[in-house]
Amino acid sequence: MNRRRFLQYSISTAAAAAWPTASRAQQYPSKIIRFLVGFPPGGSADLTMRQFAHRLDAVLGAKHLIENVPGASSTLAAVQALRAEPDGHTLYLGSNVAQVIAPTMLKLSYDPLTALAPISQVTTNSNLVAVSAGYGVKNWAEFLAKAKGERDGVFYGTSNVGFQIPAVQISKIAGIKLVNIPFKGGAETVTAVLGGNIPMIIGTPPSILPHVNSGALVALCATSAERSSVMPEIPGANEVGLRGMDSVGWFGLFAPAKTPVAVVTRLHEAIQSVIGDKSLQQALSKEGLELRGSASPERFASFQKKEFEETAAIIREAGLAPT
């Protein structure tokens, strides 16, 4: 074979090899997109996915189906996703709970950093630190002074181990003792604080803010480093002197590993266009959620890896266990 024919053959072979991937991306989506959500209907995850999927339909020219697969800190849904055909028609709404916290504390059958292909983060949310009005403090400075005088520490309630992580950071940075009392859900935790059984709670804005607005609870700070745009009246951690703390939740979309790069790229671009939707931000702000995308799938993967390493270090050092 002469040099010209060899080059023609090589180019033709490369083009033929690339054609299936390019073709699949051009034809995508070719059927209903299934979104797996690892939480029950009605919560923040479910609301986020339903609002997001509706708008992605318009961008992609697609139709969707949402399946709620709650259980095992959302990892049951992750397992279904990683076993699905890697063609972009099954997507998973992951979170810091399932992709960062649970893998550190549970024995999983998969590697959360490699079994799923990160596409983009979609939201971020800060949680709140609050005390009952009956505790007798009006702000963080007053709380800190009182907490340092509590011989047995300050008892606080949480509904999952994710809320214990900022408590560990607060204890370490502020030099105070916080004692966790675990509850089965956010509503039960709030009831315990309102009833005077414990003075403090760390939880989500939707469960806490109504009682802050009524005067029954006092919001001390957000768990994010800076103030959240959806609750700008509440100081961030840096503002009250908790420098170095930035404990936030997030949701993001993942596909099964080996999903074609071209399909992942198209999904990423579609997600970024949806993230600019002001009506979506308004809808999600009621849940304390802020829209937050990723510059690229690779950046989202790096973000997840960093979160995993930092959170795992906190959990192991504090000896936290599932509640």
Side-chain angles (χ1 to χ4, degrees):
M1 182 181 295
N2 62 36
R3 187 170 183 274
R4 177 177 293 181
R5 286 189 176 181
F6 174 77
L7 289 173
Q8 288 175 339
Y9 172 80
S10 299
I11 293 171
S12 298
T13 302
W19 181 84
T21 298
S23 176
R24 276 181 286 179
Q26 291 171 359
Q27 294 174 5
Y28 178 82
S30 59
K31 56 185 178 182
I32 291 175
I33 298 177
R34 183 171 63 134
F35 293 97
L36 297 172
V37 179
F39 299 90
S44 295
D46 184 65
L47 172 66
T48 298
M49 195 67 264
R50 292 182 188 279
Q51 295 278 358
F52 225 89
H54 173 70
R55 289 165 173 82
L56 276 176
D57 282 352
V59 176
L60 293 170
K63 292 183 179 181
H64 74 270
L65 172 67
I66 292 177
E67 292 185 20
N68 297 90
V69 190
S73 298
S74 185
T75 60
L76 295 183
V79 169
Q80 282 200 25
L82 65 89
R83 291 175 177 171
E85 184 71 23
D87 58 4
H89 292 96
T90 297
L91 303 178
Y92 165 63
L93 184 69
S95 66
N96 61 304
V97 173
Q99 301 305 111
V100 174
I101 297 173
T104 304
M105 308 183 76
L106 304 174
K107 291 184 179 180
L108 302 180
S109 61
Y110 62 93
D111 184 341
L113 299 179
T114 60
L116 294 163
I119 304 172
S120 178
Q121 184 179 351
V122 295
T123 67
T124 185
N125 66 282
S126 174
N127 293 308
L128 289 176
V129 181
V131 292
S132 65
Y135 193 60
V137 301
K138 297 180 180 178
N139 53 48
W140 176 262
E142 292 182 8
F143 167 76
L144 185 59
K146 186 169 183 176
K148 287 185 175 181
E150 298 280 14
R151 182 177 177 179
D152 297 323
V154 179
F155 291 85
Y156 73 99
T158 60
S159 57
N160 68 61
V161 73
F163 297 129
Q164 292 182 54
I165 292 172
V168 169
Q169 294 175 302
I170 290 170
S171 294
K172 188 174 182 179
I173 298 169
I176 59 177
K177 182 179 180 181
L178 299 178
V179 182
N180 181 56
I181 305 297
F183 291 87
K184 293 180 180 179
E188 184 180 328
T189 313
V190 170
T191 299
V193 179
L194 295 177
N197 296 318
I198 53 174
M200 180 178 174
I201 180 173
I202 301 177
T204 63
S207 65
I208 294 176
L209 281 179
H211 304 288
V212 172
N213 295 334
S214 74
L217 296 179
V218 176
L220 300 177
C221 68
T223 60
S224 55
E226 307 300 334
R227 293 192 180 216
S228 167
S229 65
V230 299
M231 39 186 186
E233 71 283 4
I234 298 172
N238 282 344
E239 199 171 332
V240 299
L242 293 169
R243 298 196 173 276
M245 187 173 93
D246 190 20
S247 181
V248 298
W250 52 265
F251 290 122
L253 280 170
F254 295 79
K258 298 183 180 179
T259 297
V261 173
V263 172
V264 170
T265 299
R266 184 170 184 194
L267 280 165
H268 177 270
E269 291 171 351
I271 290 168
Q272 304 320 299
S273 66
V274 171
I275 283 173
D277 189 319
K278 292 182 179 179
S279 66
L280 177 58
Q281 177 59 81
Q282 185 176 8
L284 295 182
S285 65
K286 298 175 184 178
E287 295 293 313
L289 300 170
E290 299 178 67
L291 289 172
R292 180 75 56 82
S294 304
S296 67
E298 292 76 20
R299 289 286 292 274
F300 184 34
S302 297
F303 166 78
Q304 182 193 352
K305 186 174 185 294
K306 183 173 182 288
E307 282 265 297
F308 181 83
E309 292 171 349
E310 292 179 352
T311 302
I314 293 171
I315 289 173
R316 287 170 183 149
E317 181 181 352
L320 298 182
T323 56

